């Protein structure tokens, strides 16, 4: 056995926008084991539930993560609606779906840019973010905020999108689709990109399942599971298939996300074509009781909400399991046996969102 | 989608946990999350959520705050983070965690901020 | 196997206008729906304090006796909750961001 070295990776590292620390145990240049350390940005949002009214928890939930913001708010509202219980109007469900998919497209483009940055392709990074900017502008135009949408509330949505604007979104996405295709082809075909991604950080289908991987990390390993199939919001009316790739390496995870961007655009088109008229919110009365469990697909994987209420204005327990939390054990598995130089790319390939993880 | 926790919950005894989990693991279920919460009687309620083919099941049981719970991370490796988190936030002791941070996962200003005593 | 895949896009964009704009020289265009900052038309306000109670960050302070309404712009998360709840509709969500400051208060 050769000599073992332990190298600290993070919490400050050029590829990491957020602080996670890994102790990498190396044998020569090979990583044999990785031990994670989180807890640098713990904010105690779950504790805040004792002070905030349940309707305000949607704002708190939305700020768990800056990228999955809308889907957090959606899940939180869904769980509270479940506890009250109230029925949300169809139009609101469709609008939520449209915003959730817009959020997914911008999140994946953000990630593609960060990935390009991680393997040292600055120009590609810039182009991904140029396209993402257009989506953010659309979001601002419809919801009012660029990153924090702020358009979801318990009982429905807070702002309506007029039909003309919805059509406009589809037209803009049609144009955008061509541009995104142009950029994502670089990820799929370019020699130097493939050189950095293919056969790096391989995780088998069994490992992905046993270690509880979620989202594109899981689907890149060949597990066809997408919580949108559960049919919450308007997904029950839309047609789509979970995107799967079987190779299980960083390249497969990249391809899953690329294909999901186009899938999301397609879902937006379907939703806009079918959206019914009517009210966008119902009046909320009473206080929640009981407990609810929600599982919703975010850009990074499924988020699990477990809410417990006791009939007062404040919820009793607000438990959020974010996708990155579930993706850390699979990440440790992927890191075992990889080259030290590939560690940044592998860490980024799970789309880590650490502030999300610690809440 | 309506998914009340009550509909998918299975009440078990604390001693049964390890056996039940290994049974579920054998069936091909995957661990979704572990949640801890306080109950009215100042006990801890633990919820272990599993999923298979979009079917969820929540194993739940209550333990007194000074009890020791057996870790399931020997069967589900991914449980270690949840268990460390529960220990750090609630102060519930969990035995034999695969990677035990010994209370250093979250270093909070108030020790065990969500525990029963500090309410 | 493809080399220099991005070269086409790069060449094409060379002849195009820049995707960015010179920020302070060219002003940012806000949309109609943008949540920028909260403004009060104090003439209509009845100092009921509903906005204060609704605000998730306790950014608003209303004093009924002194007829005083203050907001701490740096605490405000621009959620628009107070605007929705105001019975006199005297709160407005402006679509420009509050200007930068050099000290907290
Ligand atoms: S809710 Fe409206 S009327 Fe009441 S204090 Fe606030 S701003 Fe004034
Ligand atoms: S916009 Fe929201 S955070 Fe800001 S003052 Fe109003 S209620 Fe408070």
């Amino acid at each position: 056995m050769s000599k073992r070295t332990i190298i600290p990776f993070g919490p400050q590292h050029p590829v990491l926008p957020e602080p996670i620390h890994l102790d990498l145990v190396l044998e020569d240049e090979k990583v044999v084991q990785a031990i994670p350390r989180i807890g640098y940005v713990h904010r105690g949002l779950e504790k805040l539930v004792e002070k905030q009214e349940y309707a305000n928890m949607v704002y708190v939930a939305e700020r768990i993560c800056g990228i999955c913001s809308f889907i957090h708010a959606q899940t939180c509202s869904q769980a509270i609606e479940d506890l009250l219980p109230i029925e949300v109007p169809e139009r609101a469900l469709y609008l939520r779906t449209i915003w959730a998919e817009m959020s997914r497209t911008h999140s994946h483009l953000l990630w593609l840019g960060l990935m390009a940055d991680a393997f040292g392709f600055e120009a590609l990074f810039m182009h991904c973010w140029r396209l993402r900017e257009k989506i953010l502008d659309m979001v601002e135009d419809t919801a009012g905020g660029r990153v924090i949408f702020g358009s979801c509330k318990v009982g429905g949505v807070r702002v309506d999108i007029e039909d003309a604007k919805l059509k406009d979104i589809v037209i803009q996405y049609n144009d955008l689709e061509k541009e995104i295709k142009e950029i994502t082809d670089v990820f799929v075909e370019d020699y130097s990109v493939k050189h950095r991604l293919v056969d790096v950080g391989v995780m088998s289908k069994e490992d992905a399942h046993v270690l509880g991987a979620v989202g594109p990390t899981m689907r890149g390993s060949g597990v066809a599971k997408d919580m949108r199939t559960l049919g919450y919001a308007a997904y029950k009316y839309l047609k789509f298939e979970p995107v799967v790739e079987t190779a299980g390496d960083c390249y497969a995870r990249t391809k899953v996300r690329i294909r999901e961007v186009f899938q999301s655009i397609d879902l937006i088109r379907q939703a806009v074509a079918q959206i019914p008229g009517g009210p966008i919110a119902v009046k909320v009365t009473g206080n929640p009781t009981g407990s609810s469990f929600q599982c919703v697909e975010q850009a990074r994987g499924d988020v699990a909400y477990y809410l417990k209420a006791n009939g007062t204005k404040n919820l009793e327990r607000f438990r959020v399991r974010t996708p990155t939390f579930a993706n850390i054990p699979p990440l440790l598995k992927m890191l075992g046996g990889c080259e030290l130089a590939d560690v940044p790319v592998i860490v980024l390939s799970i789309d880590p969102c650490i502030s999300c993880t610690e809440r | 989608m309506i998914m009340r926790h009550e509909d998918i919950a299975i009440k078990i005894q604390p001693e049964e946990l390890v056996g039940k989990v290994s049974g579920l693991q054998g069936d091909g279920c995957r661990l979704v999350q572990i949640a801890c919460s306080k109950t009215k009687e100042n006990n801890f309620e633990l919820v272990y959520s599993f999923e298979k083919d979009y079917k969820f099941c929540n194993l739940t049981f209550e333990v007194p705050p000074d009890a020791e719970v057996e870790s399931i991370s020997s069967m589900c490796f991914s449980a270690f983070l949840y268990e460390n988190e529960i220990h750090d936030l609630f102060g519930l002791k969990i035995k034999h965690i695969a990677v035990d941070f010994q209370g250093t996962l979250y270093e909070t200003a108030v020790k065990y901020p969500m525990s029963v005593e500090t309410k | 196997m493809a080399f220099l895949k991005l070269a086409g896009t790069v060449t094409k964009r060379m002849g195009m206008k820049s995707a960015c704009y010179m920020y302070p020289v060219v002003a940012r265009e806000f949309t109609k729906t943008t949540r920028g900052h909260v403004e009060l038309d104090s003439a209509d306000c009845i100092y009921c304090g509903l906005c204060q109670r609704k605000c998730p960050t306790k950014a608003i302070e209303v004093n009924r006796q002194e007829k005083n309404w203050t907001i701490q712009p740096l605490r405000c998360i621009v959620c628009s909750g107070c605007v929705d709840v105001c019975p006199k509709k005297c709160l407005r969500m402006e679509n420009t961001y509050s200007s930068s400051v050099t000290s907290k208060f």
Side-chain angles (χ1 to χ4, degrees):
Chain A
M1 198 181 90
S2 55
K3 211 172 116 216
R4 293 196 164 186
T5 332
I6 298 178
I7 291 194
F9 176 92
Q12 304 292 334
H13 189 279
V15 302
L16 294 173
E18 289 169 286
I20 180 171
H21 173 89
L22 292 165
D23 278 320
L24 302 172
V25 183
L26 300 185
E27 258 173 33
D28 293 336
E29 286 278 291
K30 280 240 179 315
V31 179
V32 279
Q33 209 190 356
I35 301 151
R37 238 342 278 279
I38 54 171
Y40 297 97
V41 280
H42 182 67
R43 290 162 291 167
L45 287 182
E46 291 183 358
K47 176 88 176 161
L48 202 56
V49 77
E50 291 165 14
K51 298 224 178 81
Q52 293 284 6
E53 285 174 21
Y54 69 87
N56 280 357
M57 277 321 275
V58 179
Y59 303 135
V60 176
E62 185 148 18
R63 281 156 182 85
I64 289 175
C65 176
I67 312 295
C68 314
S69 50
F70 184 80
I71 313 189
H72 269 298
Q74 180 192 5
T75 321
C76 182
S77 317
Q78 232 170 265
I80 296 173
E81 282 149 14
D82 197 0
L83 293 172
L84 277 167
I86 45 175
E87 223 20 84
V88 180
E90 290 273 286
R91 188 173 174 86
L93 291 181
Y94 271 94
L95 288 174
R96 280 182 186 179
T97 310
I98 291 169
W99 274 316
E101 291 309 319
M102 285 170 89
S103 138
R104 199 181 313 275
T105 47
H106 96 67
S107 168
H108 280 346
L109 282 171
L110 170 119
W111 178 83
L112 285 167
L114 288 177
M115 194 65 176
D117 192 41
F119 54 66
F121 202 154
E122 288 280 333
L124 191 53
F125 157 70
M126 296 285 184
H127 281 287
C128 290
W129 281 40
R130 169 174 61 84
L131 298 177
R132 172 175 180 254
E133 197 59 33
K134 295 190 179 169
I135 301 176
L136 291 185
D137 284 345
M138 276 195 268
V139 170
E140 182 176 354
D141 195 17
T142 52
R146 276 161 53 84
V147 174
I148 302 291
F149 289 37
S151 53
C152 197
K153 68 169 179 186
V154 178
V157 291
R158 295 172 69 185
V159 276
D160 199 358
I161 314 182
E162 303 124 45
D163 287 332
K165 217 178 235 176
L166 282 173
K167 298 234 166 58
D168 189 49
I169 290 176
V170 172
I171 293 168
Q172 288 199 47
Y173 262 115
N174 287 344
D175 295 341
L176 217 67
E177 199 176 12
K178 290 190 210 91
E179 287 197 66
I180 296 174
K181 182 88 177 51
E182 205 176 296
I183 298 299
T184 51
D185 277 353
V186 181
F187 282 93
V188 182
E189 289 164 24
D190 195 80
Y191 170 77
S192 40
V193 175
K194 274 170 101 169
H195 200 72
R196 284 306 304 271
L197 299 180
V198 175
D199 285 336
V200 170
V202 183
M203 181 172 58
S204 68
K205 188 173 175 179
E206 289 70 37
D207 282 338
H209 184 81
V210 171
L211 293 172
V214 293
T217 313
M218 161 177 71
R219 290 194 284 277
S221 292
V223 185
K225 190 171 285 175
D226 189 327
M227 288 305 153
R228 285 177 283 177
T229 324
L230 285 171
Y232 60 89
Y235 292 108
K236 46 187 172 292
Y237 311 116
L238 308 178
K239 273 200 264 327
F240 69 98
E241 286 286 322
V243 174
V244 223
E245 293 283 338
T246 47
D249 54 3
C250 289
Y251 184 60
R253 289 190 277 279
T254 311
K255 277 213 288 204
V256 168
R257 292 195 174 94
I258 289 172
R259 284 172 54 199
E260 278 186 9
V261 173
F262 296 111
Q263 183 191 43
S264 294
I265 296 177
D266 183 53
L267 283 171
I268 293 174
R269 255 186 236 126
Q270 287 185 37
V272 170
Q274 298 177 14
I275 188 166
I280 54 162
V282 287
K283 210 169 149 37
V284 180
T285 46
N287 289 330
T289 48
S291 45
S292 168
F293 185 80
Q294 295 287 329
C295 218
V296 165
E297 188 76 21
Q298 282 185 339
R300 288 164 178 75
D302 47 275
V303 63
Y305 268 63
Y306 171 67
L307 261 58
K308 215 160 105 176
N310 51 5
T312 59
K313 272 204 150 358
N314 296 43
L315 296 170
E316 201 173 303
R317 178 82 171 105
F318 180 77
R319 200 265 188 272
V320 184
R321 194 278 277 138
T322 49
T324 311
F325 204 93
N327 272 336
I328 288 178
L331 170 67
L332 304 181
K333 171 79 194 164
M334 286 175 219
L335 286 174
C338 77
E339 297 284 337
L340 176 62
D342 287 333
V343 171
V345 176
I346 297 176
V347 171
L348 218 74
S349 78
I350 67 159
D351 201 351
C353 178
I354 308 302
S355 304
C356 221
T357 310
E358 297 169 23
R359 303 167 305 284
Chain B
M1 184 209 42
I2 304 284
M3 186 151 61
R4 298 286 285 203
H5 162 69
E6 286 86 355
D7 300 340
I8 50 173
I10 303 173
K11 282 219 160 45
I12 60 167
Q13 293 301 315
E15 314 76 77
E16 293 176 317
L17 174 70
V18 174
K20 284 266 193 253
V21 171
S22 69
L24 285 170
Q25 281 284 69
D27 287 346
C29 290
R30 103 198 144 95
L31 180 70
V32 177
Q33 62 108 26
I34 306 176
C36 183
S37 58
K38 283 175 284 202
T39 61
K40 278 195 204 69
E41 298 81 38
N42 264 350
N43 285 338
F44 286 130
E45 185 194 32
L46 285 165
V47 179
Y48 291 69
S49 314
F50 287 86
E51 181 256 15
K52 188 196 181 187
D53 298 334
Y54 305 110
K55 292 261 178 333
F56 289 82
C57 102
N58 284 354
L59 300 180
T60 75
F61 59 88
E62 282 184 26
V63 285
D66 52 355
E68 284 210 338
V69 180
E70 185 66 35
S71 163
I72 59 163
S73 56
S74 55
M75 291 163 285
C76 298
F77 176 67
S78 50
F80 81 95
L81 272 177
Y82 302 109
E83 289 172 343
N84 277 300
E85 187 185 53
I86 290 171
H87 172 263
D88 289 4
L89 296 182
F90 290 87
L92 179 67
K93 282 194 207 65
I94 298 179
K95 287 182 289 191
H96 310 132
I97 309 180
V99 183
D100 196 340
F101 289 88
Q102 321 246 333
T104 59
L105 186 70
Y106 296 143
E107 280 163 11
T108 44
V110 181
K111 216 166 167 52
Y112 311 138
M114 295 164 90
S115 171
V116 277
E117 290 89 6
T118 55
K119 186 158 183 206
Chain C
M1 201 63 66
F3 293 92
L4 294 175
K5 268 299 272 187
L6 196 63
T9 316
V10 171
T11 340
K12 200 169 78 192
R13 292 217 54 95
M14 267 180 195
M16 288 172 150
K17 222 172 86 220
S18 163
C20 312
Y21 56 89
M22 276 296 189
Y23 167 60
V25 184
V26 184
R28 162 116 167 69
E29 269 178 49
F30 294 98
T31 67
K32 263 212 256 41
T33 43
T34 307
R35 292 193 310 275
H37 69 276
V38 180
E39 277 288 346
L40 171 81
D41 297 324
S42 52
D44 292 342
C45 178
I46 50 167
Y47 305 98
C48 63
L50 269 181
C51 51
Q52 178 188 353
R53 262 197 283 151
K54 175 71 191 175
C55 179
T57 57
K58 314 257 181 307
I60 299 180
E61 228 181 286
V62 180
N63 192 322
R64 205 173 207 160
Q65 275 83 42
E66 292 169 21
K67 298 224 177 296
N68 209 347
W69 185 98
T70 42
I71 183 167
Q72 300 182 18
L74 291 179
R75 289 198 78 155
C76 171
I77 54 168
V78 221
C79 65
S80 186
C82 51
V83 180
D84 292 352
V85 82
C86 178
K88 302 295 284 181
K89 297 281 162 262
C90 59
L91 283 175
R92 267 179 295 128
M93 187 50 84
E94 289 289 309
N95 71 347
T96 49
Y97 298 149
S98 44
S99 48
S100 8
V101 285
T102 49
S103 68
K104 222 167 167 188
F105 294 108

